[in-house]
Amino acid sequence: MRAAIFSEFGGPEVIRVEEVADPEPGPGEVRLRVRAASLNHLDLWARRGLPFPISMPHIGGSDIAGEVERVGPGAEHVPIGTRVVVDPSTNWEWYEGVRRGKDLPDPGYRVIGEHLQGGFAELAVVPAANLLQIPADVTYDTAAAAGMIFATAWGGLMGRASLRPGERVLVTGGSGGVSTAAIQVARRAGASVVAITSGPENVKRVRELGADIVLDRLSGPLGAQLKDATGSRGVDVVFDSVGQPMWASLIRCLRPGGRLVCYGSTAGPEAVTDLRHVFWKRLSILGTTMASPAEFVEVMHLVFEGSLIPVIDRILRLEELGEAHRALEAGEVFGKVVIRV
């Protein structure tokens, strides 16, 4: 099969499309004929070599949609030819904290395309338990673009933050894939949205997604903009993946009893927290990563029915994956890049 692989860490130039051996499904696994896969910041981190173990040569791509082509032992119940999208999370039970004993080690949480080989290839092997059937009227592009971003937004806002109608949510990095999903999830939940992005064109597009107030971080000091936008009330929930540069301002704009949900640290992982704000205002700082299998199914059904719509910036070929990496890294992408295989 053809696959976009890298065998060393580095810039987008390390990605090559090569012929590699077809993968074979093992027990409980299926092999997919990949029709579409989409890019996430996770793919950039894996390519750069940030600290998590990956096998080389590596195939990225956590969001996969395609057709079941072959089944392994124990997966015979999955019909060949079924159109499916893949939940990127494996071994979610690790988060539940239930351990079987010191001599029966439990596998840790892992992500397809990060710890495991992904979908930027003609064929991909995934656990049968991670499949969700795609309705006939939903395209592979839509399914592949939606999975990780809506799972992360839904799991973070509806799960971790327990977002309620009438609350106010601040979303950072408004042009990113997860943020474009989070704006829609928050609005559907009956919350109002303040979003931060960069540049007048992104401001316009984020507002069109449903954000009530959109701040351009390039137009002036962010702290002052947040104070003007949120006033004395502040916000109930902050949904952030930026991290270090904005952290202090985000803590300050939370109202008493507010919740800061962190799902990434794209601009720096080592943030300084003034604990006086935390204890005096009784704040909650919550971490989140994607979503449980049940949450994935729940939010993807909302995508299938058209209640939530992934924003696709562009669709490229497998041979253009390096260009997709470059564009995402340069901040030129609004929403998602889909690779059509």
Side-chain angles (χ1 to χ4, degrees):
M1 70 171 183
R2 290 184 312 130
I5 67 171
F6 58 88
S7 300
E8 59 181 329
F9 298 126
E13 70 279 356
V14 302
I15 299 171
R16 299 281 189 271
V17 176
E18 297 183 4
E19 291 284 340
V20 300
D22 293 352
E24 293 297 329
E29 295 179 332
V30 303
R31 188 168 78 186
L32 304 182
R33 173 70 60 181
V34 179
R35 299 302 183 187
S38 70
L39 199 66
N40 295 284
H41 275 277
L42 181 59
D43 294 295
L44 306 185
W45 301 334
R47 191 207 71 226
R48 295 171 189 155
L50 293 186
F52 46 72
I54 64 174
S55 59
M56 293 288 197
H58 188 70
I59 302 171
S62 302
D63 282 321
I64 309 169
E67 300 157 6
V68 177
E69 188 210 53
R70 183 174 295 187
V71 300
E76 294 88 355
H77 61 285
V78 181
I80 301 298
T82 306
R83 303 172 74 245
V84 294
V85 63
V86 180
D87 181 350
S89 299
T90 67
N91 306 324
W92 182 264
E93 297 80 8
W94 178 82
Y95 277 118
E96 310 302 329
V98 178
R99 301 294 181 257
R100 295 176 296 168
K102 64 182 179 64
D103 296 321
L104 296 172
D106 293 88
Y109 175 70
R110 298 192 296 174
V111 180
I112 294 168
E114 177 184 359
H115 311 90
L116 307 170
Q117 301 286 32
F120 293 140
E122 291 178 323
L123 301 171
V125 167
V126 300
N130 287 50
L131 302 180
L132 179 63
Q133 187 168 3
I134 303 171
D137 61 344
V138 175
T139 68
Y140 289 120
D141 295 338
T142 294
M148 184 175 283
I149 61 170
F150 276 107
T152 302
W154 189 265
L157 290 175
M158 306 308 296
R160 297 291 283 149
S162 301
L163 185 63
R164 297 181 291 271
E167 291 192 311
R168 180 187 280 187
V169 179
L170 172 64
V171 178
T172 64
S175 64
V178 175
S179 298
T180 60
I183 292 167
Q184 296 180 60
V185 169
R187 293 291 296 173
R188 186 182 184 279
S192 60
V193 177
V194 179
I196 302 171
T197 188
S198 57
E201 180 59 28
N202 281 345
V203 167
K204 176 177 177 291
R205 296 182 71 178
V206 169
R207 187 174 288 117
E208 290 170 349
L209 275 177
D212 300 276
I213 300 172
V214 186
L215 307 179
D216 184 351
R217 65 178 180 83
L218 303 179
S219 66
L222 181 61
Q225 290 191 66
L226 282 172
K227 186 175 181 180
D228 289 342
T230 61
S232 58
R233 174 189 168 187
V235 298
D236 300 279
V237 175
V238 169
F239 193 61
D240 176 58
S241 68
V242 175
Q244 185 175 323
M246 293 186 182
W247 190 260
S249 295
L250 300 178
I251 292 286
R252 283 195 295 270
C253 77
L254 281 165
R255 72 162 184 83
R259 294 93 78 197
L260 192 159
V261 181
C262 171
Y263 68 95
S265 55
T266 57
E270 298 181 359
V272 175
T273 302
D274 186 336
L275 295 177
R276 293 170 295 183
H277 289 288
V278 177
F279 66 73
W280 189 253
K281 294 197 290 183
R282 303 185 72 187
L283 304 180
S284 297
I285 298 175
L286 306 167
T288 190
T289 295
M290 293 196 272
S292 70
E295 289 171 325
F296 176 82
V297 171
E298 183 178 12
V299 76
M300 286 303 291
H301 279 300
L302 294 175
V303 172
F304 293 161
E305 71 180 34
S307 297
L308 301 171
I309 302 172
V311 177
I312 298 176
D313 182 272
R314 65 193 79 177
I315 298 172
L316 301 176
R317 297 176 295 112
L318 188 64
E319 290 78 9
E320 298 173 294
L321 180 60
E323 167 58 21
H325 272 246
R326 186 207 62 77
L328 185 59
E329 207 157 39
E332 298 171 1
V333 174
F334 189 94
K336 295 279 283 184
V337 178
V338 171
I339 302 299
R340 191 177 287 166
V341 183

